[in-house]
Amino acid sequence: MAVYTLPDLPYDYSALEPAMTGEIMQLHHDKHHAAYVKGANDTLEQLAEAGESASPTATVGLEKTLAFNLSGHVLHSIFWQNLSPDGGDRPDGELAAAISEYFGSFEAFSKRLSTATTGVQGSGWGVLGYEPLSGRLIIEQLYDHHGNVGVGSTPLLVFDAWEHAYYLQYRNVRPDYVARLWDLVNWPDVARRFADARAGTPSLPNR
Ligand code: MN
């Protein structure tokens, strides 16, 4: 039985137009995200089988494959909820105060997250996260789906920098795509994730 399932988008495929076309959203959700869900489920089964092997190396490659696919599933599930047809503008309340405290201003923060996202070499994500050891917000640059972030950080706002997220519409101009993402950010969702992470109960999407 599958452990993970593909969540529905919280809006229609075309709801984020013109910033993101329905064609991109349908492919991104139905093909790419679905592949990570299947990959995570398949790899769990393979790990269960490999775990019965006497070889200590039988599971090593599979663990990396699980990390890639499971993280891809988690990040896309958050990404869909981070965006909204009614998004944009700026956060308020405690999230706004924390952004000012840790990055100086909203402008400085948005510039840094944009730079982290556009500067990903190859495929990855720009991430605003909550780092629990220091209790602060942190910007991280995630390679593929599972590399280059601190253990324990909770993603609050994630920007997909994989070419599949924008190439059909923005071609090679990743900065234009990232600039438009800001018009879609669902700040109440990000603020809810921030509050939950600080309370020690990070809100992840459904499985
Ligand atoms: Mn993606």
Side-chain angles (χ1 to χ4, degrees):
M1 199 177 115
V3 173
Y4 304 107
T5 55
L6 180 67
D8 290 335
L9 285 179
Y11 33 71
D12 294 336
Y13 294 123
S14 60
L16 304 183
E17 291 183 351
M20 215 178 296
T21 66
E23 182 185 22
I24 286 181
M25 291 299 291
Q26 188 163 8
L27 282 167
H28 201 169
H29 176 268
D30 293 5
K31 303 296 183 187
H32 293 277
H33 187 172
Y36 300 130
V37 173
K38 183 177 188 309
N41 285 320
D42 289 351
T43 310
L44 273 185
E45 289 184 14
Q46 291 165 26
L47 272 165
E49 292 170 15
E52 296 168 6
S53 161
S55 167
T57 59
T59 60
V60 173
L62 289 173
E63 296 288 4
K64 187 176 180 187
T65 303
L66 179 65
F68 176 84
N69 284 288
L70 179 54
S71 299
H73 174 33
V74 169
L75 286 164
H76 284 92
S77 298
I78 295 172
F79 184 54
W80 309 136
Q81 295 180 14
N82 276 168
L83 306 180
S84 165
D86 305 317
D89 207 1
R90 294 180 179 205
D92 53 20
E94 294 190 8
L95 176 60
I99 285 173
S100 292
E101 179 180 357
Y102 295 116
F103 304 109
S105 66
F106 182 82
E107 288 76 12
F109 152 73
S110 62
K111 187 172 177 220
R112 280 187 54 185
L113 182 55
S114 288
T115 300
T117 308
T118 58
V120 168
Q121 293 178 321
S123 299
W125 300 72
V127 176
L128 170 68
Y130 173 75
E131 196 286 290
L133 196 57
S134 61
R136 60 162 294 154
L137 294 173
I138 190 171
I139 288 175
E140 299 181 301
Q141 192 179 51
L142 183 47
Y143 286 95
D144 290 334
H145 301 308
H146 57 308
N148 208 44
V149 295
V151 171
S153 292
T154 300
L156 308 175
L157 172 63
V158 297
F159 282 176
D160 192 338
W162 286 56
E163 286 185 346
H164 68 224
Y166 63 88
Y167 210 87
L168 282 178
Q169 185 175 358
Y170 293 93
R171 300 299 172 186
N172 59 312
V173 192
R174 191 190 280 175
D176 286 358
Y177 153 74
V178 173
R180 294 300 296 276
L181 274 181
W182 290 103
D183 298 333
L184 302 173
V185 174
N186 180 352
W187 289 112
D189 179 67
V190 182
R192 178 176 60 83
R193 293 176 186 284
F194 179 47
D196 288 350
R198 284 208 294 185
T201 53
S203 51
L204 285 174
N206 57 350
R207 293 193 299 182

Short mmCIF file of all heavy atoms in Angstrom, two decimals, residues 28 32 36 76 125 145 160 162 164-165, ligand 1:
data_model
loop_
_atom_site.label_atom_id
_atom_site.label_comp_id
_atom_site.label_asym_id
_atom_site.label_seq_id
_atom_site.Cartn_x
_atom_site.Cartn_y
_atom_site.Cartn_z
N HIS A 28 3.69 20.18 -14.05
CA HIS A 28 4.48 20.22 -12.83
C HIS A 28 3.85 19.34 -11.74
O HIS A 28 4.53 18.56 -11.08
CB HIS A 28 4.59 21.68 -12.37
CG HIS A 28 5.73 21.97 -11.46
ND1 HIS A 28 6.10 23.25 -11.12
CD2 HIS A 28 6.59 21.16 -10.79
CE1 HIS A 28 7.14 23.20 -10.31
NE2 HIS A 28 7.45 21.95 -10.09
N HIS A 32 5.60 15.81 -12.72
CA HIS A 32 6.81 15.90 -11.91
C HIS A 32 6.55 15.54 -10.45
O HIS A 32 7.20 14.66 -9.89
CB HIS A 32 7.44 17.29 -12.03
CG HIS A 32 7.98 17.58 -13.40
ND1 HIS A 32 9.22 17.17 -13.81
CD2 HIS A 32 7.43 18.21 -14.46
CE1 HIS A 32 9.43 17.53 -15.07
NE2 HIS A 32 8.35 18.18 -15.48
N TYR A 36 7.70 12.08 -8.02
CA TYR A 36 8.40 12.03 -6.73
C TYR A 36 7.61 11.20 -5.71
O TYR A 36 8.20 10.47 -4.91
CB TYR A 36 8.64 13.45 -6.19
CG TYR A 36 9.46 14.31 -7.11
CD1 TYR A 36 9.04 15.59 -7.48
CD2 TYR A 36 10.66 13.85 -7.65
CE1 TYR A 36 9.80 16.37 -8.35
CE2 TYR A 36 11.41 14.62 -8.51
CZ TYR A 36 10.97 15.88 -8.86
OH TYR A 36 11.71 16.66 -9.73
N HIS A 76 7.30 20.14 -3.02
CA HIS A 76 6.23 20.53 -3.95
C HIS A 76 4.91 20.71 -3.22
O HIS A 76 4.13 21.61 -3.54
CB HIS A 76 6.11 19.52 -5.09
CG HIS A 76 7.19 19.66 -6.12
ND1 HIS A 76 8.36 18.97 -6.07
CD2 HIS A 76 7.29 20.47 -7.21
CE1 HIS A 76 9.14 19.32 -7.09
NE2 HIS A 76 8.51 20.24 -7.80
N TRP A 125 16.25 24.81 -5.14
CA TRP A 125 15.21 25.66 -4.57
C TRP A 125 15.85 26.79 -3.76
O TRP A 125 16.91 26.60 -3.17
CB TRP A 125 14.34 24.87 -3.58
CG TRP A 125 13.61 23.69 -4.15
CD1 TRP A 125 14.16 22.50 -4.54
CD2 TRP A 125 12.20 23.58 -4.39
NE1 TRP A 125 13.17 21.66 -4.99
CE2 TRP A 125 11.97 22.29 -4.90
CE3 TRP A 125 11.12 24.44 -4.19
CZ2 TRP A 125 10.69 21.85 -5.24
CZ3 TRP A 125 9.85 24.01 -4.52
CH2 TRP A 125 9.64 22.72 -5.05
N HIS A 145 16.65 18.29 -4.38
CA HIS A 145 15.59 18.47 -3.39
C HIS A 145 16.11 18.26 -1.97
O HIS A 145 15.38 18.46 -1.00
CB HIS A 145 14.45 17.46 -3.61
CG HIS A 145 13.81 17.53 -4.95
ND1 HIS A 145 13.32 18.70 -5.49
CD2 HIS A 145 13.59 16.58 -5.88
CE1 HIS A 145 12.82 18.45 -6.68
NE2 HIS A 145 12.97 17.18 -6.95
N ASP A 160 10.69 27.12 -6.30
CA ASP A 160 11.20 26.06 -7.16
C ASP A 160 12.05 26.67 -8.27
O ASP A 160 11.55 27.46 -9.06
CB ASP A 160 10.02 25.28 -7.75
CG ASP A 160 10.44 23.98 -8.42
OD1 ASP A 160 11.62 23.84 -8.81
OD2 ASP A 160 9.57 23.10 -8.57
N TRP A 162 13.86 24.67 -10.41
CA TRP A 162 14.07 23.70 -11.47
C TRP A 162 13.53 24.25 -12.79
O TRP A 162 12.52 24.94 -12.81
CB TRP A 162 13.36 22.38 -11.15
CG TRP A 162 14.02 21.55 -10.09
CD1 TRP A 162 14.33 21.91 -8.81
CD2 TRP A 162 14.43 20.19 -10.22
NE1 TRP A 162 14.91 20.87 -8.15
CE2 TRP A 162 14.99 19.79 -8.98
CE3 TRP A 162 14.37 19.25 -11.26
CZ2 TRP A 162 15.49 18.50 -8.77
CZ3 TRP A 162 14.87 17.98 -11.04
CH2 TRP A 162 15.42 17.62 -9.81
N HIS A 164 11.86 22.85 -14.98
CA HIS A 164 10.48 22.40 -15.28
C HIS A 164 9.45 23.36 -14.69
O HIS A 164 8.29 23.34 -15.09
CB HIS A 164 10.25 20.95 -14.82
CG HIS A 164 10.26 20.73 -13.34
ND1 HIS A 164 10.92 19.69 -12.72
CD2 HIS A 164 9.67 21.41 -12.32
CE1 HIS A 164 10.74 19.74 -11.42
NE2 HIS A 164 9.98 20.77 -11.15
N ALA A 165 9.86 24.19 -13.75
CA ALA A 165 8.93 25.12 -13.10
C ALA A 165 8.64 26.35 -13.97
O ALA A 165 7.64 27.03 -13.75
CB ALA A 165 9.46 25.55 -11.75
MN MN B 1 9.33 21.33 -9.33
#
